[in-house]
Amino acid sequence: MNKSDSDDVFTELTQGSEELQEFLDRMREQFPAALFQLRAGNGRLLPPEFNLLQDAAGRAVPLLISPEEGIVRINDAGGNLHAVAVPQLSAILLIKLPDSSGIGFDNPALSGFISCCIDLALLKHEQRILKLENQQIQRQIKVLNQQHYKLIEDNYRQYRQLQDREKEYAQKLEKEIARQTSELRNANVRLEESSRLKNEFLANISHELRTPLNAIIGFSELLAETGLHGEQAEYNETILAAGSSLLALINDILDLSKIEAGRIDLEKEPFTVAEVVSRVTTLFGVPAREEGVVFAAIIDEQLPVQLLGDANRLQQILINLVGNATKFTSDGTVELRVDLAGEQDSEVLVRFTVKDTGIGIPVERQKAIFEKFIQADGSTTRKYGGTGLGLAICKQLVSLMRGEIRLDSIPGKGSTFAFTVPLFATPAAAMAGRHDVPLQQQGAHRTRQKATVLLVEDNQVNQRLASIMLRQQDCEVLVAADGIKALEILKRQSCDLILMDIQMPRLDGLAATRKIRELESSPAKEQYAGLRMKTAPIPIIGLTAHARKEDEQASREAGMNDFLSKPISRDKLGMTLGKHLAKLSILPWKEKDVRHLTPDRLKTN
Amino acid sequence: MPAAEDLNARFKNLKTLPHVAVRVTQLVNSETGTMQDFEELIKLDPVLVTRLLRLVNSPYYGLTHKVESISKAVVYVGMKNLRNLVTVEALRVMFAGGKKEGFSRKKLWLHSATVAMLSEMIARRIFGMESEDYFLAGIMHDIGLIVEDQVHGEKLLEACSLYLSGERQLVTCEQETIGTDHCQVGAVLLREWMLSDEILEAIRSHHDRKQEFSVTSIASVLQIADFLASKLNHAAIPGRIDSLPKHLAGHVRDMLANYKIIIRDLPLEMAKATNLYEADDPA
């Protein structure tokens, strides 16, 4: 864009002559004596009031000038008119000197002065523009500065805002985490509760199952002795076998659920390893031999004779392991070895090893073998039976005893299960109180006398079963359906021993026992024919379906002498009766062939 | 102005408002927006991201560092500048196409860009004020013409020829053929765009000869810039130039030397901003 363009923009607003006017003003300032007029490119004159290019008569004076020429004298009437081109303004400057001055532009000094004046006026104009430009730049700088500060401020604001948001987000996150955590915790509590309820249910249902099963097994045992012919005996044998394995299964489940619910308390009683081992040997020796398996038990001589611990549970583990070993060994050897693995302070570390030459366990199954319901492989169940709970129970029991169980097995060659448990060694004297068994045996040679037993039991099936079992033990049986009935009977009749169910309607076993004990030590005793003559408290044996420690505790506190858990096994009943009646010199039971005890029955208490 | 509303409704059936540009404008107004919000929003349109970064890095801003992300752009040039760039991009699309005898969108776009640039220069150089809103008003002031062209192309042409052949104002001719004018139509459209009231007022009144706005207001600067752009052969409807309202003419006369400097420097500034207003490049 050139100068004239920019002028065009504003022509409408101005006459476009401001610059020329300014130039004229400056010239006049410099040289007040002269008369100036500008002739613009379009021929307009400034100031327009007169025309220097006209003589007094109004005739035009010719103006011929080129920009390069400098100041030229115009041939006018007065002879003092000069002109010079000012290309910067696209105009021609006309200068009329005073007529009287007598000087002309042929004087070089004057000519120089005028051109200096022109330059100065132009420069002044330029200076003004520059000044304005400078002002504009200053304003822009100011704006940029402002914007700069605003930017900084705004960036800081954003920074804070982002920080706030982040904080808010973090808080939200924390809250959410807390909420989820508490939700999880609640869910966990609910799960634990539901698991506990499930365990409880399992325990209860197992007990409930055991009651009818008790009847099935008991009656088929009784049935076997009624002189069955071949086929009948075979069927009965099957019923008995099926009942026994069902009972074993229920016992396993019950055991496991009790262990998992933490409801097992280990006993800490003196025992000898030999005793435990011999019981296991008794169980498996003969059947193993029949199967063509050699069963051997070896006890390390270094082992202390008496130890303190839970013999029953140890025995249970061994029965499981040896049972498995014989089951999976069709011919070869099963070896049970007990040795001293170490000693620390008063504790000895006892290692039990059960080694067989059976089918072995595949490597990939070895790790899982101690899990619940896991067997060496799925086909095992079909071929060999079993619940898959045995080893899980063993592992749980061993760890309950603070011990460890390990498995080494080569498929096809055999397996070795070994577990170590720390046990306290005890002085031999502590064993003194445990000579019940020899006592019983002594009693076997005494003269017999029929004992009278009062059976207090509300369940009719159990009533019948227990009555039959008692009669088989050569006892007279009196039956009462609950505690109140029992007390009524005692008013009229005498008995040698009371078999008392714990859970009964009206007056339960515990309350009835407390009542009897109370009567025995009070004058009211005289009103009871059954108690009147007694010098010692009458033995009361509790019966319960709940083989729980706390039940046993409660029954002893109520004054019971002993405790039997259902289902009642004949052998156990015989032993218990013997123990208490022997003290009274009444030995009622028949010496019978000791049938080999199945593991389940041993486990029951 | 029911006619203007109606026109806008019909326009929006044909073209959707540039969503990102509207949201960005809202964000700037909200005063709680952050560079992250900006980035999130603009990221929706990857092409826009590329173009914006190119504009931010153009000589127009003269940054010494190369800006490579939208959030950095917010930090360096500020939200309002970025909003202007997003708007320019959105309008470029709206102004595209539509070549007709008597009305050219392309010429209108050049006119708008010139007015925007002049508004910015006047605000900054003469009044020493921040200029983003002046630029925005300049680039958007004739958007009403686009709406009219889209919906009533023929009637707009009629109005243009009435205007060129007579003595009357363009807005008067529009009222006659269309029933409304581009100032009202633009104001209605831009209300939805969430522009500030001052910008809306300026656009609504940029052909108003009666109201006297303060010289430094966006409305006044817009009128001056509109006038100067037309004088410089970038008129919205080439062929006639409307004169400035008296008080503004007086102001320009008073500040003549200053305005002359602006006119002298305009080509240079326009060259720096070529990227902003020129049609899409081959890339």
Side-chain angles (χ1 to χ4, degrees), chain A residues 4 51 56 63 69 82 91 108 112 126 153 155 200 246 255 257 279 314 350 366 404 427 457 462 491 549 601:
Chain A
S4 60
N51 190 347
L63 177 66
E69 266 178 299
H82 294 77
E126 216 168 293
E153 248 169 51
N155 286 335
E200 208 157 87
L246 187 55
D255 257 355
S257 64
R279 255 180 268 160
L314 270 179
V350 183
Q366 286 181 12
E404 274 172 32
E457 162 73 78
N462 285 341
K491 270 192 179 160
K549 267 267 177 309
R601 261 174 269 176

Side-chain angles (χ1 to χ4, degrees), chain A residues 489-507:
Chain A
I489 287 173
L490 282 176
K491 270 192 179 160
R492 301 187 306 269
Q493 277 176 285
S494 170
C495 66
D496 300 305
L497 184 142
I498 301 173
L499 218 50
M500 178 88 79
D501 189 20
I502 286 176
Q503 276 180 305
M504 285 181 299
R506 300 215 291 172
L507 189 62

